[in-house]
Amino acid sequence: MEREGERPVNTSGIRPVKIVFLIHNVYGIGGTIRTTLNLAAALADRHQVEIVSMLRHRERPRFEIDPRVTVVPLVDIRAGSDDTADPMFTEPATVFPAAEKRYRQYSRLTDRRAEDYLRRCRAEVIIGTRPGLNVYLARFGPSRAVRIAQEHLTHDSHVKKLRAELARHYAGLDAVVTTTEADAAVYRARMPLPGVRVLAVPNSVPEPAVPPSDGTARIIAGAGRLVRGKRFDLLIEAFADVAAKYPDWVLRVYGGGPDRERLQRLIDDRGLGGQATLMGARSPIETEFAQASIVVSASDAESFGMTLVEAMRCGVPVVSTDCPLGPAEIIRHGVDGLLVPVDDGEALTAAMLGLITDDSARRRMGEEARVSARRFDPAPIARTYEELFTALVAGRRARRRGALWHTRLRPALRGALRR
């Protein structure tokens, strides 16, 4: 155990419990990590919270972690660690699903450590945060605990083979939580799970520690992993038309990833070297968003859209593709941001130009965005989870009473009546 959390102070009347989150690698950077840490900190106000990181690749996490939250790494993949010398470290995982995108990062050692931890776990609530970890939870998690599968990806982003495997394992859990109502509806329609509650709870984003944008800086920002699905190439192409008309505006793209070299070549080919810059990863990203006047997302698909909410909390209007499944549940078109069709560079350019040329609309949308984004504050999201925990426990008790009636009381009553 790496760090002991402080005992939470409970003033709400809610019974404190131990809550465990299973996460791929809390030492990295990503939306699932950010939202898990946000929720964990909010729940730590009333509960004992532990984050179990399957992998550990560096000494300290990139994101700040609430000191009340305990971090437990299971497999140390740093060069020279004892775990990398374990023979099981090089053997393929047999429990973690082979069709899961992270499969190559897992091993028999990860399988073994996850099983050992979960078999001994005394938590009342255990929450998995990606499909493979939810399989661990279903296979090894104690049946006395409330077991919840979070889906930070989407149903349709999983290949058919993985969906079939998840259906078998999710059937034994208490709940599946998606980040959008649209995705929850897809799960209900395409992965029937009798007796398992399927619902949507959005990701949480705290109020930033920086002053909001005043909307005057001639900066457009984008952020995310530099991969093809995020369509930063489309954003750069659309910005090229903006830069031709307004050369005093600049584009800053934050993030790292395998597409960096291709995107840099595109910037160079379009002659945008002085106006479009790949800034690298930044944490916290709100510090950068607060310096911008517009944030743009050109993604082909989003399971939620953390950067959209983070920008809105900074008082910045967002231009986003109306892609499945998150943006339309976050942005109110024309009120606190703009939605444009997927893969439509001309619409993206027009939306940016509209905000650039209308200072009052840009500032009005920025203020509306800041107000609207308060619904993603961690406190109400944490209360929603607490209500879910309570409902799931109550449901279990009702099912046990029903089982007792059918297996013991009802036959006994029939026997008494026959006598």
Side-chain angles (χ1 to χ4, degrees), residues 74-244:
L74 294 190
V75 177
D76 190 342
I77 62 174
R78 290 176 290 177
S81 74
D82 291 343
D83 288 343
T84 60
D86 190 307
M88 289 193 296
F89 181 76
T90 58
E91 297 178 17
T94 57
V95 178
F96 194 90
E100 225 263 37
K101 293 177 182 178
R102 297 282 189 179
Y103 175 71
R104 291 185 180 277
Q105 295 178 258
Y106 283 74
S107 65
R108 277 195 60 211
L109 182 61
T110 327
D111 288 350
R112 175 65 60 81
R113 294 280 172 82
E115 179 178 5
D116 290 346
Y117 175 87
L118 287 167
R119 296 249 188 246
R120 299 193 312 267
C121 184
R122 310 304 297 175
E124 288 93 340
V125 178
I126 310 175
I127 302 172
T129 61
R130 68 172 300 115
L133 306 188
N134 296 332
V135 171
Y136 281 159
L137 179 57
R139 287 281 302 272
F140 307 131
S143 58
R144 56 178 169 67
V146 169
R147 297 178 295 171
I148 298 172
Q150 282 185 347
E151 274 286 357
H152 291 276
L153 301 172
T154 64
H155 175 278
D156 291 350
S157 69
H158 302 321
V159 298
K160 184 177 180 180
K161 182 179 179 181
L162 179 60
R163 292 199 297 265
E165 186 169 358
L166 295 180
R168 294 195 301 272
H169 291 293
Y170 283 8
L173 299 178
D174 294 285
V176 175
V177 177
T178 66
T179 58
T180 65
E181 289 289 351
D183 198 34
V186 173
Y187 269 92
R188 295 185 194 109
R190 301 183 190 172
M191 191 185 288
L193 299 168
V196 180
R197 186 166 178 184
V198 179
L199 71 158
V201 181
N203 289 337
S204 63
V205 178
E207 183 176 1
V210 294
S213 168
D214 63 7
T216 62
R218 296 175 181 182
I219 298 171
I220 299 171
R225 185 157 169 75
L226 303 184
V227 294
R228 290 182 181 267
K230 295 294 185 180
R231 294 308 309 275
F232 286 111
D233 57 337
L234 184 66
L235 172 55
I236 291 167
E237 293 281 9
F239 175 73
D241 294 331
V242 171

Side-chain angles (χ1 to χ4, degrees), residues 224-228 232 254-263 278 280-281:
R225 185 157 169 75
L226 303 184
V227 294
R228 290 182 181 267
F232 286 111
Y254 299 94
D259 224 20
R260 182 182 178 92
E261 289 186 10
R262 185 176 74 93
L263 295 174
L278 303 179

